[in-house]
Amino acid sequence: MKNYSIAKSRRLRSTPYTSRIENQGVTAYTVYNHMLLPAAFGSIEQSCDHLKKKVQVWDVSAERQVEISGKDSAKLVQLMTCRDLSKSKIGRCYYCPIIDNDGNLINDPVILKLSEDRWWISIADSDVIFFAKGLAIGNNFKVSITEPTVDIIAVQGPKSFDLMNKIFGEKILELKFFGFDYFDFNGVKHLIARSGWSKQGGFEIYVENTKSGQILYDYLFEAGKEFDVKAGCPNLIERIESGLLSYGNDFDNNDNPFECGFEKYVNLDSDINFLGKEKLKQIKADGIKRKLMGVKVDMEEISLTKSLDITDDKGNSIGELRSACYSPHFEKVIGIAMINQPYCKASAIGKLEINNNSFTVNICDLPFI
Amino acid sequence: MKNYSIAKSRRLRSTPYTSRIENQGVTAYTVYNHMLLPAAFGSIEQSCDHLKKKVQVWDVSAERQVEISGKDSAKLVQLMTCRDLSKSKIGRCYYCPIIDNDGNLINDPVILKLSEDRWWISIADSDVIFFAKGLAIGNNFKVSITEPTVDIIAVQGPKSFDLMNKIFGEKILELKFFGFDYFDFNGVKHLIARSGWSKQGGFEIYVENTKSGQILYDYLFEAGKEFDVKAGCPNLIERIESGLLSYGNDFDNNDNPFECGFEKYVNLDSDINFLGKEKLKQIKADGIKRKLMGVKVDMEEISLTKSLDITDDKGNSIGELRSACYSPHFEKVIGIAMINQPYCKASAIGKLEINNNSFTVNICDLPFI
């Protein structure tokens, strides 16, 4: 596939670490929340292999925070998500589908409860801040809604525990999955969560003090030498193998949470108030007509730049492929597809036409690994 | 400057014309409204020169539409903008700052009044759809809010009038600036406005029938041969020379409309209801503390990827440069900067440090030409 340059400008915001990752050999960017997100440091196959065995440091500043604080903040946050947050705890992260009045998805952030009246919504790629502002204005909520200066460094991979232990001490190993706490680095406190956009284990450092964050970024590489640390980024292969969904790629504002396998985050039985609740009850009662599924295709490479139609053997559409990559682990192409009933079951078969070649599509459950 | 690839995916949506512009030699993309927007076909200097003399066809599908229809649509549209739309007419486009409750900017779209209860907001790069949804839900407005399938082809440059006349007939020349009407192409009606993101004159074709639009795209090049038509895109040099502001580059959600020179679109004296009205009255009464200005710098090239500090001769910040390019017309670098009082006047002087070199910055009024 031909490569095209990204035309940089202030509108595609740089991060505090951009000059560092460019020195470290970033080769491709994507844009995420109007910000540069590294997408490759050379081969994503090699980087995937390294991520699974060692430790990587990622500039994921593009995971922006929407801070909601004030008297009505809990009410507003709950209004936006179908997940019941009534028993949520300070110091915990919650994966929460954000839903509109039609029961469709607007984002799938991780929400951090900083205090009873202060929350961070760590967003995927859409302007949740403007949805929150619109809702707050319309409902006359007493809240403050801002995008604070928070630029996340992710430390991912099996050796991330050793590296973080070395820098922050043993206490960091006590963090439970999706727990967070504050840890000291050279006299500056950093919020660190045990989380991250891979299934290889790791941490996310929510950097508010930019200068300290830059020193920490450099120090992670110095201290990480013994663990073979490398600069990296969210890895297409690893995230598809792990079934980590991506808003805008695998689902968008035309899809509902049941179609995306988010059932366990849809709490229809409690008496909490959230948008789209009646719609979602109706959708659940009617049953969904399509669902996100895995697919495996005997191909040696693929470069997906838009949805590709999946058909039955008569050429009728049975769904669309939305993300795909070659997986060295499976030695074939794997992908995530929105598949129509009655084909959304493991063992169903479809067809894909690429450059006038026809390929058999084996539908399977998610995640792959 | 080193080039970085753009990592394509479904999340950075392709357009109906993407394969065409790639055959025509697009070399760089930016991302705008989660969609690919071409940013260069080789040299932007040569393309700027051609745009000023001939005619270009642009894939500006990334200018997405937010359609607001229904009983309360006029009320919602007016709520979002400080421009008085009470006397707006069907068949006209209106440049409208979108404002939040703090009096700050969320977008600067062109709004098309399709009928009394149906509007298109032709947006710059932010998710206005979610702001509109939040406001509609919170206010319990009776409206439908969607992103319709509309992919704009822009035809820009002095020869655009000859080309469009050749294809659509003389009636298209009767369109007034920012007027729109429906015109036939091979039996399909297309909404065409006399508008576009250059000051060289031209039209925007709001394509709803994708197939017809693709045929029309190709035909524009066939019929345009005699006018030396070329594929192009919004041109950084031309838009800075013309003082066409860009949301995300020159201003964002931290700036108010008075700071951006939008006074004539801020109608505080009428009795219409819009967000931020009281805040804007206060800002106006207090007077602004900074303003977007032009700058000229004796340099031969620049590549701006983020704001650059402009200082006085003692090194104190007096503003920041937000967009810049080398202008062959002025034979120097020109740019758009947010400048603090008392420096925001033509003839003020500042300094810019780039790679340890110091350059004199001459502040001037906008537009340059």
Side-chain angles (χ1 to χ4, degrees), chain B residues 64-118:
Chain B
R64 305 308 295 168
Q65 307 308 303
V66 178
E67 176 168 319
I68 301 187
S69 61
K71 188 172 145 295
D72 293 325
S73 58
K75 207 191 287 184
L76 175 56
V77 171
Q78 181 64 78
L79 188 64
M80 293 198 290
T81 180
C82 53
R83 181 168 181 179
D84 184 353
L85 293 174
S86 62
K87 295 185 185 71
S88 59
K89 293 186 179 74
I90 294 164
R92 293 286 302 164
C93 305
Y94 298 89
Y95 181 68
C96 292
I98 303 275
I99 307 289
D100 68 16
N101 230 10
D102 300 315
N104 286 331
L105 285 148
I106 279 183
N107 203 287
D108 66 326
V110 169
I111 297 181
L112 287 76
K113 185 170 183 173
L114 301 170
S115 71
E116 290 300 334
D117 59 0
R118 187 163 166 255

Coordinates of all heavy atoms in Angstrom, one line a residue, chain B residues 64-118:
Chain B
R64 N -18.4 17.8 7.3 CA -19.6 17.0 7.5 C -20.8 17.9 7.8 O -20.7 19.1 8.3 CB -19.4 16.0 8.6 CG -18.3 15.1 8.5 CD -18.2 14.4 7.2 NE -19.3 13.4 7.0 CZ -19.7 12.9 5.8 NH1 -18.9 13.1 4.7 NH2 -20.7 12.0 5.7
Q65 N -22.0 17.4 7.6 CA -23.2 18.1 7.9 C -23.9 17.5 9.1 O -23.9 16.3 9.3 CB -24.3 18.0 6.7 CG -23.7 18.4 5.4 CD -23.1 19.7 5.4 OE1 -23.7 20.7 5.7 NE2 -21.8 19.8 5.0
V66 N -24.3 18.4 10.0 CA -25.2 18.0 11.1 C -26.6 18.5 10.7 O -26.8 19.7 10.6 CB -24.8 18.7 12.4 CG1 -25.8 18.3 13.5 CG2 -23.4 18.3 12.8
E67 N -27.5 17.6 10.4 CA -28.8 18.0 10.0 C -29.7 18.1 11.3 O -29.8 17.1 12.1 CB -29.4 17.0 9.0 CG -30.9 17.3 8.7 CD -31.4 16.5 7.5 OE1 -30.7 16.3 6.5 OE2 -32.6 16.1 7.5
I68 N -30.4 19.2 11.4 CA -31.3 19.4 12.5 C -32.7 19.7 11.9 O -32.8 20.7 11.2 CB -30.8 20.5 13.5 CG1 -29.4 20.2 14.0 CG2 -31.8 20.8 14.6 CD1 -28.9 21.1 15.1
S69 N -33.6 18.9 12.2 CA -35.0 19.1 11.6 C -36.0 18.9 12.7 O -35.7 18.3 13.8 CB -35.2 18.1 10.5 OG -35.1 16.7 11.0
G70 N -37.2 19.3 12.4 CA -38.3 19.1 13.4 C -38.8 20.5 13.9 O -38.2 21.5 13.7
K71 N -39.8 20.3 14.7 CA -40.6 21.5 15.3 C -39.7 22.5 16.0 O -39.9 23.7 15.8 CB -41.6 20.9 16.3 CG -42.6 21.9 16.8 CD -43.7 21.1 17.6 CE -44.2 21.9 18.8 NZ -43.2 22.1 19.9
D72 N -38.7 22.0 16.8 CA -37.9 23.0 17.5 C -36.5 23.2 16.9 O -35.6 23.7 17.6 CB -37.7 22.4 19.0 CG -39.0 22.4 19.8 OD1 -39.8 23.3 19.6 OD2 -39.2 21.5 20.6
S73 N -36.4 22.9 15.6 CA -35.1 23.0 15.0 C -34.5 24.4 15.0 O -33.4 24.6 15.3 CB -35.1 22.3 13.6 OG -36.0 23.0 12.8
A74 N -35.4 25.3 14.6 CA -34.9 26.7 14.5 C -34.5 27.2 15.9 O -33.5 27.9 16.1 CB -36.0 27.6 14.0
K75 N -35.2 26.8 16.9 CA -34.9 27.2 18.3 C -33.5 26.7 18.7 O -32.7 27.4 19.3 CB -36.0 26.7 19.2 CG -36.2 27.5 20.5 CD -37.1 26.8 21.5 CE -38.5 26.8 21.1 NZ -39.4 26.2 22.2
L76 N -33.3 25.4 18.4 CA -32.0 24.8 18.8 C -30.9 25.4 18.0 O -29.8 25.7 18.6 CB -32.1 23.3 18.5 CG -30.7 22.5 18.7 CD1 -30.2 22.7 20.1 CD2 -30.9 21.0 18.5
V77 N -31.0 25.6 16.7 CA -30.0 26.2 15.9 C -29.6 27.6 16.4 O -28.5 27.9 16.6 CB -30.4 26.2 14.4 CG1 -29.3 27.1 13.6 CG2 -30.4 24.8 13.8
Q78 N -30.7 28.4 16.7 CA -30.4 29.7 17.3 C -29.7 29.7 18.6 O -28.9 30.5 18.9 CB -31.7 30.5 17.3 CG -31.5 31.9 17.9 CD -30.7 32.8 16.9 OE1 -31.1 33.2 15.9 NE2 -29.4 33.0 17.2
L79 N -30.1 28.7 19.5 CA -29.5 28.6 20.8 C -28.0 28.4 20.7 O -27.3 28.9 21.6 CB -30.2 27.4 21.5 CG -29.8 27.2 23.0 CD1 -30.3 28.4 23.8 CD2 -30.4 25.9 23.5
M80 N -27.6 27.7 19.6 CA -26.1 27.4 19.5 C -25.3 28.5 18.9 O -24.1 28.5 19.0 CB -26.0 26.2 18.6 CG -26.5 24.9 19.3 SD -25.9 23.4 18.6 CE -26.7 23.4 17.0
T81 N -25.9 29.5 18.3 CA -25.1 30.6 17.7 C -25.5 32.0 18.1 O -26.6 32.3 18.3 CB -25.1 30.5 16.1 OG1 -24.3 31.6 15.6 CG2 -26.5 30.7 15.6
C82 N -24.4 32.8 18.3 CA -24.6 34.2 18.7 C -25.1 35.1 17.5 O -25.3 36.3 17.6 CB -23.4 34.8 19.3 SG -21.9 34.5 18.3
R83 N -25.1 34.5 16.3 CA -25.6 35.3 15.1 C -27.1 35.2 15.1 O -27.7 34.2 15.2 CB -25.0 34.7 13.9 CG -25.4 35.5 12.6 CD -24.6 35.2 11.4 NE -25.1 36.0 10.3 CZ -24.6 35.9 9.1 NH1 -23.6 35.1 8.8 NH2 -25.0 36.7 8.1
D84 N -27.7 36.4 14.9 CA -29.2 36.4 14.8 C -29.7 35.8 13.5 O -29.5 36.3 12.4 CB -29.6 37.9 14.9 CG -31.1 38.1 14.9 OD1 -31.9 37.1 14.8 OD2 -31.6 39.2 15.1
L85 N -30.4 34.7 13.7 CA -31.0 34.0 12.5 C -32.5 34.2 12.3 O -33.1 33.5 11.5 CB -30.6 32.5 12.6 CG -29.2 32.1 12.5 CD1 -28.9 30.6 12.7 CD2 -28.6 32.5 11.1
S86 N -33.0 35.2 13.1 CA -34.5 35.3 13.1 C -35.0 35.8 11.7 O -36.1 35.6 11.4 CB -34.9 36.3 14.2 OG -34.3 37.6 13.9
K87 N -34.1 36.5 10.9 CA -34.6 36.9 9.6 C -33.9 36.1 8.5 O -33.9 36.5 7.3 CB -34.2 38.4 9.4 CG -35.0 39.3 10.4 CD -34.8 40.7 10.1 CE -35.5 41.6 11.2 NZ -34.8 41.5 12.5
S88 N -33.4 34.9 8.9 CA -32.7 34.1 7.9 C -33.6 33.6 6.8 O -34.8 33.4 7.1 CB -31.9 32.9 8.6 OG -32.9 32.1 9.3
K89 N -33.1 33.3 5.6 CA -33.9 32.9 4.5 C -33.6 31.5 4.0 O -32.4 31.1 4.0 CB -33.7 33.9 3.3 CG -34.2 35.3 3.6 CD -34.1 36.2 2.4 CE -34.6 37.6 2.6 NZ -33.7 38.4 3.4
I90 N -34.6 30.8 3.5 CA -34.3 29.5 2.9 C -33.5 29.8 1.6 O -33.8 30.7 0.9 CB -35.7 28.8 2.6 CG1 -36.4 28.5 3.9 CG2 -35.5 27.6 1.7 CD1 -37.9 28.2 3.7
G91 N -32.5 28.9 1.4 CA -31.7 29.1 0.2 C -30.4 29.9 0.5 O -29.7 30.3 -0.5
R92 N -30.2 30.2 1.7 CA -29.0 31.0 2.1 C -28.1 30.3 3.1 O -28.6 29.5 3.9 CB -29.4 32.4 2.7 CG -30.2 33.3 1.8 CD -29.3 34.0 0.8 NE -28.2 34.7 1.4 CZ -27.1 35.1 0.7 NH1 -26.9 34.8 -0.6 NH2 -26.1 35.8 1.3
C93 N -26.8 30.6 3.0 CA -25.8 30.1 3.9 C -25.4 31.2 4.9 O -25.4 32.3 4.5 CB -24.5 29.7 3.2 SG -24.7 28.5 1.8
Y94 N -25.2 30.8 6.1 CA -24.8 31.8 7.1 C -23.6 31.3 7.9 O -23.6 30.2 8.5 CB -26.0 32.0 8.1 CG -27.2 32.6 7.4 CD1 -28.2 31.7 6.9 CD2 -27.4 33.9 7.3 CE1 -29.3 32.2 6.2 CE2 -28.5 34.5 6.6 CZ -29.4 33.6 6.1 OH -30.5 34.1 5.4
Y95 N -22.6 32.1 7.9 CA -21.4 31.8 8.7 C -21.7 32.2 10.2 O -22.0 33.3 10.5 CB -20.2 32.7 8.2 CG -18.9 32.4 9.0 CD1 -18.2 31.2 8.8 CD2 -18.3 33.4 9.8 CE1 -17.0 30.9 9.5 CE2 -17.1 33.1 10.5 CZ -16.5 31.9 10.3 OH -15.3 31.7 11.0
C96 N -21.6 31.2 11.1 CA -22.1 31.3 12.4 C -21.2 30.7 13.5 O -21.0 29.5 13.5 CB -23.5 30.5 12.5 SG -24.8 31.2 11.6
P97 N -20.6 31.6 14.3 CA -19.9 31.0 15.5 C -20.8 30.2 16.4 O -21.9 30.7 16.7 CB -19.4 32.3 16.2 CG -19.5 33.4 15.2 CD -20.7 33.0 14.3
I98 N -20.4 29.0 16.8 CA -21.1 28.2 17.7 C -20.5 28.5 19.1 O -19.3 28.4 19.2 CB -21.1 26.7 17.4 CG1 -21.6 26.4 16.0 CG2 -21.8 25.9 18.4 CD1 -23.1 26.3 15.9
I99 N -21.3 28.8 20.1 CA -20.8 29.3 21.4 C -21.3 28.4 22.5 O -22.4 28.0 22.5 CB -21.3 30.7 21.6 CG1 -21.0 31.6 20.4 CG2 -20.7 31.3 22.9 CD1 -19.5 32.0 20.2
D100 N -20.4 28.2 23.5 CA -20.9 27.5 24.7 C -21.3 28.5 25.8 O -21.3 29.7 25.6 CB -19.8 26.5 25.2 CG -18.6 27.2 25.8 OD1 -18.6 28.4 26.1 OD2 -17.5 26.5 25.9
N101 N -21.7 28.0 26.9 CA -22.2 28.8 28.0 C -21.2 29.8 28.6 O -21.6 30.7 29.3 CB -22.7 27.9 29.1 CG -24.1 28.2 29.6 OD1 -24.8 29.0 28.9 ND2 -24.6 27.6 30.7
D102 N -19.9 29.5 28.3 CA -18.9 30.5 28.8 C -18.6 31.5 27.8 O -17.7 32.3 28.0 CB -17.6 29.7 29.2 CG -17.9 28.6 30.2 OD1 -18.5 29.0 31.2 OD2 -17.4 27.5 30.1
G103 N -19.3 31.5 26.7 CA -19.0 32.5 25.6 C -17.8 32.1 24.8 O -17.3 32.9 24.0
N104 N -17.4 30.9 24.9 CA -16.2 30.4 24.1 C -16.7 29.6 22.8 O -17.8 29.1 22.8 CB -15.3 29.6 24.9 CG -14.5 30.4 25.9 OD1 -14.2 31.6 25.6 ND2 -14.1 29.8 27.0
L105 N -15.8 29.5 21.9 CA -16.1 28.9 20.6 C -16.1 27.4 20.6 O -15.1 26.8 21.2 CB -15.2 29.5 19.5 CG -15.5 30.9 19.1 CD1 -14.3 31.7 18.7 CD2 -16.5 30.9 18.0
I106 N -17.0 26.8 19.9 CA -17.1 25.3 19.8 C -16.9 24.9 18.3 O -16.4 23.8 18.0 CB -18.4 24.8 20.3 CG1 -18.3 24.7 21.9 CG2 -18.8 23.5 19.7 CD1 -19.5 24.1 22.6
N107 N -17.2 25.9 17.4 CA -17.0 25.6 16.0 C -17.4 26.9 15.3 O -17.9 27.8 15.9 CB -18.0 24.5 15.6 CG -17.6 23.7 14.3 OD1 -17.7 24.2 13.2 ND2 -17.1 22.5 14.5
D108 N -17.1 26.9 14.0 CA -17.5 28.1 13.2 C -18.0 27.6 11.8 O -17.5 27.9 10.8 CB -16.3 29.1 13.0 CG -15.2 28.5 12.2 OD1 -14.9 27.3 12.2 OD2 -14.6 29.3 11.4
P109 N -19.2 27.0 11.9 CA -19.7 26.4 10.6 C -20.4 27.4 9.7 O -20.7 28.5 10.1 CB -20.8 25.4 11.2 CG -21.3 26.1 12.4 CD -20.1 26.8 13.0
V110 N -20.7 26.9 8.5 CA -21.7 27.6 7.7 C -23.0 26.9 7.9 O -23.0 25.6 7.8 CB -21.2 27.5 6.2 CG1 -22.4 28.0 5.3 CG2 -20.0 28.4 6.0
I111 N -24.1 27.6 8.2 CA -25.4 27.0 8.4 C -26.2 27.2 7.2 O -26.4 28.4 6.7 CB -26.0 27.5 9.7 CG1 -25.2 27.2 10.9 CG2 -27.5 27.0 9.8 CD1 -25.8 27.6 12.3
L112 N -26.8 26.2 6.6 CA -27.7 26.3 5.5 C -29.1 26.1 5.9 O -29.5 25.1 6.6 CB -27.4 25.2 4.4 CG -26.1 25.3 3.6 CD1 -24.9 24.9 4.5 CD2 -26.2 24.4 2.4
K113 N -30.0 27.1 5.6 CA -31.4 26.9 5.9 C -32.1 26.2 4.7 O -32.3 26.9 3.7 CB -32.0 28.3 6.2 CG -33.4 28.2 6.6 CD -33.9 29.6 7.1 CE -35.3 29.5 7.7 NZ -35.7 30.8 8.3
L114 N -32.4 25.0 4.9 CA -33.0 24.2 3.8 C -34.5 24.4 3.8 O -35.1 24.5 2.7 CB -32.8 22.7 4.0 CG -31.3 22.3 4.1 CD1 -31.1 20.9 4.5 CD2 -30.6 22.5 2.7
S115 N -35.2 24.6 4.9 CA -36.6 24.9 5.0 C -36.8 25.5 6.4 O -35.8 25.6 7.2 CB -37.5 23.7 4.8 OG -37.4 22.8 5.9
E116 N -38.0 25.9 6.8 CA -38.2 26.5 8.1 C -37.8 25.6 9.2 O -37.5 26.0 10.3 CB -39.7 27.0 8.2 CG -40.0 28.2 7.4 CD -39.2 29.5 7.6 OE1 -38.6 29.6 8.8 OE2 -39.0 30.3 6.7
D117 N -38.0 24.3 9.0 CA -37.7 23.3 10.0 C -36.7 22.2 9.6 O -36.7 21.1 10.1 CB -39.0 22.6 10.5 CG -39.7 21.9 9.4 OD1 -39.2 21.9 8.3 OD2 -40.8 21.3 9.7
R118 N -35.7 22.7 8.8 CA -34.6 21.7 8.4 C -33.4 22.5 8.1 O -33.4 23.4 7.2 CB -35.1 20.9 7.2 CG -34.1 19.8 6.8 CD -34.8 18.7 5.9 NE -33.7 17.9 5.3 CZ -33.4 18.0 4.0 NH1 -33.9 18.8 3.2 NH2 -32.4 17.2 3.6

